[in-house]
């Protein structure tokens, strides 16, 4: 990792994306962050990121965690996990607000392992979501 100045050992100019997302508490473990990168759930500046891709201040990081997209801007680069208040200072959260409870209640859900939806169920879901035929 590159240092900004030889005299200032605390300022990093870049860090691995898996290490940074873990350090700012977007993932519980670094291995989970690396797995999300390998699975294509992490994008840096619109490009799919590998775990070792460097992030710098000003980069936009998009993460899909359990169906919810988080959009954060790198404010400060860190590689060690820190307390939540300090971690909050290292990023700017630009994530859209979560959907309201009314919208979540009206969305159809299938039981896990129930198999593929039938053609009728798929058409009902498309109609509910407002998708064209």
């Amino acid at each position: 990792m590159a240092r900004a100045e030889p005299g200032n050992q605390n300022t990093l100019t870049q860090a691995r994306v898996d290490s940074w997302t873990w350090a700012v508490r977007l993932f519980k473990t670094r291995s989970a962050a690396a797995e999300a990168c390998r699975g294509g759930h992490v994008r840096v500046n619109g490009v799919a990121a590998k775990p070792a891709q460097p992030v710098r201040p000003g980069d936009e990081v998009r993460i899909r965690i359990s169906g919810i997209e988080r959009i954060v801007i790198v404010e400060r680069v860190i590689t060690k996990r820190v307390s939540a208040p300090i971690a909050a200072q290292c990023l700017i959260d630009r994530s859209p607000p979560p959907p309201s409870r009314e919208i979540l209640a009206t969305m159809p859900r299938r039981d896990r392992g129930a198999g593929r939806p039938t053609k009728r169920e798929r058409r009902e879901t498309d109609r509910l979501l407002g998708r064209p035929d």
Side-chain angles (χ1 to χ4, degrees):
M1 282 170 246
R3 303 272 179 203
E5 301 167 1
N8 187 356
Q9 297 296 320
N10 294 332
T11 307
L12 295 173
T13 58
Q14 65 184 18
R16 291 173 55 115
V17 68
D18 63 339
S19 177
W20 185 81
T21 54
W22 166 75
V24 296
R25 298 172 171 262
L26 294 174
F27 290 101
K28 278 190 167 189
T29 63
R30 183 166 171 192
S31 60
E35 190 63 37
C37 291
R38 283 191 290 274
H41 300 288
V42 178
R43 296 181 161 273
V44 176
N45 296 327
V47 180
K50 292 183 179 179
Q53 180 169 341
V55 291
R56 295 172 183 86
D59 285 351
E60 178 188 71
V61 179
R62 291 177 176 255
I63 302 170
R64 256 188 98 80
I65 304 171
S66 53
I68 299 170
E69 186 170 30
R70 298 278 313 264
I71 304 168
V72 296
I73 307 294
V74 179
E75 183 74 15
R76 195 172 70 178
V77 176
I78 59 173
T79 57
K80 300 290 183 188
R81 197 161 171 104
V82 293
S83 65
I86 296 172
Q89 295 173 358
C90 296
L91 59 91
I92 301 170
D93 195 358
R94 298 273 166 93
S95 303
S100 66
R101 290 180 188 237
E102 294 82 28
I103 292 173
L104 288 176
T106 60
M107 292 187 74
R109 290 194 183 169
R110 294 183 57 81
D111 292 332
R112 194 161 172 83
R116 292 178 55 174
T118 64
K119 185 182 266 189
R120 180 179 183 180
E121 291 171 335
R122 183 184 51 80
R123 287 182 176 163
E124 288 173 355
T125 303
D126 288 345
R127 206 172 309 118
L128 261 173
L129 297 176
R131 294 181 186 152
D133 290 333

